[in-house]
Amino acid sequence: MSPISGVIWDLDGTVLDTESLIFQVAKEVVSRHGAELTESAAQAATGLRPLESWQVVADRMELTVPAAQLLAESEELLCDRWKEAKMLPGALRLLRHLQATGVPLALATSSNRANLTKKLSGHAHVHAAFQTTCCGDEVERGKPAPDCFLAAAEKLGLPPESCLAIEDSRPGVQAALAAGMHVVVVPSAVGESAAGCFKGLHCPRLHTLPSLLAFKPETFGLAPFGDIIGSTIPVDPAWRIRGTVVKGFGRGSRELGIPTANLDDASLKSSLAEAVTGIYAGFASIGSSPAVHKTCMSIGFNPVFKNKQKTCEPWILHDFEGDFYGEEIRLVVCAYIRPEADFVSIEALVEQIHGDAAVTRAALDLEPFASLNEDPFLLPGVLP
Ligand code: ADP
Ligand code: RBF
Ligand code: MG
């Protein structure tokens, strides 16, 4: 493949998590008109320009109100809320890395100029990272037409074939492929809807990733990240989590031979509600014991088992005698290993988890992780 000389980013659902805001507001607008917004209608509307999105919703939900009115209602509600949008996992890290290594960067968004400004008002450093921005109201045709990607490449002075587009939605991917670019897609849609969302879009120029944390710049001939320690990404500052060990699904020891001390729901909600799902490494201690052990843990939905609820499950790399349900567990989580994944078999999952344990053991011997095993938070009886 030709080397990448510039990266062109989509905004909504790729850099910023505006999707959940938009969904909340769209639900409210649709309910005003006596209907209930379905997941599939919202899905079909993702990635298009605002008016086109509302036309899709109006058609799908068989609303008699004109799309323009629905848009006006939602814009009014969203106007003050855009600044609430948070950066998506790994977006800031990748943006900073590309900027620091001199890669030309552009934004190609379906948003109009006024909304782009509002959305990035709380993230001035992000806005400044892009040499150029191309908005939905500045091109003739919106995504899935290639116009905004082509315009962005032209503004960067680069041929489209040497550009990498980063996208989250189907129309966005179609637009970038039509522009002749390489595309990395981090689907916003999850589970079943994600599977259907990119159906039929096969192209050697298209690469799918679970999140931008899994992006490897060297795959595209770009400088590798410099922050990797022992093949993990540091979690900085480390998370200090205290919880109670509760009963899980009872399959860790039995089915996998890997016991996991599941954290209670309340501590999960208070300290990890927004944590990126994935596999992490850190140190743990239990109950009244000051002993500190290396630990690898999964936070998320266990795709292999299709859990409906998020769990946090530390596997403490130590042989205990018996179990310790109801005891306090203290965790200092300092390294991200990989995203949660689906596997074809339980054996393949178990093998991967043993690989994670090996990564954990090795990485936690390295600084700045190693000294965290003396973190006072891990001592019994120390208050937060
Ligand atoms: P559950 O589904 O209830 O979490 P598991 O089969 O995953 O059951 O077993 C987890 C329990 O095993 C923990 O709650 C803990 O009491 C005990 N246990 C024993 N050794 C370990 C270990 N090394 N790491 C985690 N939990 C352990
Ligand atoms: N479950 C998955 O479905 N996919 C994974 O990639 C995955 N990785 C894990 C990595 C580690 C280090 C641990 C401790 C657990 C992982 N699990 C994963 C969770 C596992 O399925 C779960 O602990 C058992 O099903 C018991 O609830
Ligand atoms: Mg468990």
Side-chain angles (χ1 to χ4, degrees):
M1 100 183 222
S2 56
I4 294 302
S5 45
V7 178
I8 304 183
W9 297 66
D10 168 56
L11 180 68
D12 298 272
T14 302
V15 175
L16 286 182
D17 181 13
T18 47
E19 255 59 10
S20 42
L21 274 181
I22 294 172
F23 186 60
Q24 283 169 29
V25 166
K27 254 173 132 161
E28 196 179 323
V29 169
V30 169
S31 80
R32 281 182 189 170
H33 298 283
E36 198 180 327
L37 183 64
T38 58
E39 201 58 63
S40 72
Q43 186 71 66
T46 305
L48 302 173
R49 290 191 289 196
L51 185 60
E52 289 152 0
S53 289
W54 275 110
Q55 193 60 60
V56 169
V57 172
D59 292 348
R60 289 265 187 137
M61 311 291 311
E62 297 179 354
L63 302 177
T64 47
V65 206
Q69 186 190 327
L70 296 167
L71 172 61
E73 289 181 29
S74 84
E75 292 270 303
E76 196 188 321
L77 291 170
L78 280 168
C79 187
D80 299 322
R81 299 197 56 187
W82 286 129
K83 54 185 181 301
E84 292 170 34
K86 298 201 177 70
M87 299 281 292
L88 280 157
L92 187 58
R93 171 176 178 257
L94 178 57
L95 205 53
R96 285 206 170 128
H97 171 73
L98 295 174
Q99 193 183 18
T101 52
V103 179
L105 302 173
L107 198 63
T109 174
S110 301
S111 299
N112 60 41
R113 180 63 58 184
N115 281 343
L116 167 69
T117 309
K118 280 188 204 129
K119 288 172 186 175
L120 287 177
S121 61
H123 308 275
H125 53 300
V126 172
H127 206 166
F130 299 106
Q131 268 94 316
T132 183
T133 53
C134 184
C135 291
D137 54 346
E138 295 160 354
V139 288
E140 192 177 325
R141 300 167 304 167
K143 299 171 186 178
D147 302 25
C148 64
F149 281 104
L150 291 172
E154 196 181 324
K155 285 197 200 174
L156 287 179
L158 297 171
E161 321 78 74
S162 78
C163 292
L164 174 68
I166 307 186
E167 262 292 349
D168 71 302
S169 75
R170 184 181 175 96
V173 168
Q174 290 172 309
L177 287 177
M181 297 181 180
H182 293 270
V183 186
V184 160
V185 58
V186 282
S188 279
V190 287
E192 309 286 300
S193 46
C197 190
F198 298 97
K199 235 194 202 139
L201 286 185
H202 300 296
C203 175
R205 286 183 282 121
L206 178 61
H207 312 260
T208 307
L209 292 180
S211 92
L212 289 179
L213 288 170
F215 186 90
K216 300 247 185 309
E218 56 274 30
T219 321
F220 301 97
L222 299 167
F225 278 111
D227 60 354
I228 307 281
I229 297 176
S231 52
T232 71
I233 301 171
V235 173
D236 188 21
W239 301 332
R240 291 169 173 82
I241 306 155
R242 192 188 307 270
T244 306
V245 178
V246 298
K247 285 259 177 204
F249 307 96
R251 64 176 174 236
S253 320
R254 238 180 309 127
E255 272 185 58
L256 312 181
I258 295 167
T260 54
N262 297 42
L263 234 71
D264 64 300
D265 237 33
S267 9
L268 184 62
K269 289 212 173 83
S270 64
S271 32
L272 294 171
E274 306 212 348
V276 176
T277 61
I279 313 309
Y280 294 83
F283 293 100
S285 63
I286 299 289
S288 57
S289 168
V292 172
H293 311 284
K294 290 176 178 172
T295 296
C296 55
M297 63 186 228
S298 115
I299 299 178
F301 299 88
N302 301 4
V304 172
F305 300 97
K306 302 193 168 52
N307 291 357
K308 288 276 180 283
Q309 286 195 321
K310 195 173 185 176
T311 60
C312 169
E313 303 185 38
W315 177 28
I316 303 173
L317 303 179
H318 176 79
D319 282 330
F320 291 91
E321 276 178 35
D323 56 45
F324 40 81
Y325 289 111
E327 298 271 354
E328 179 179 90
I329 180 167
R330 296 168 294 271
L331 293 160
V332 173
V333 181
C334 55
Y336 170 89
I337 301 178
R338 64 171 176 92
E340 284 193 289
D342 201 353
F343 291 90
V344 288
S345 68
I346 302 286
E347 291 71 32
L349 170 64
V350 169
E351 193 181 326
Q352 176 63 58
I353 298 179
H354 283 282
D356 299 329
V359 169
T360 298
R361 285 196 178 89
L364 294 182
D365 280 340
L366 306 173
E367 291 299 351
F369 304 148
S371 16
L372 290 172
N373 75 345
E374 289 178 5
D375 196 291
F377 184 85
L378 293 165
L379 294 171
V382 176
L383 291 172

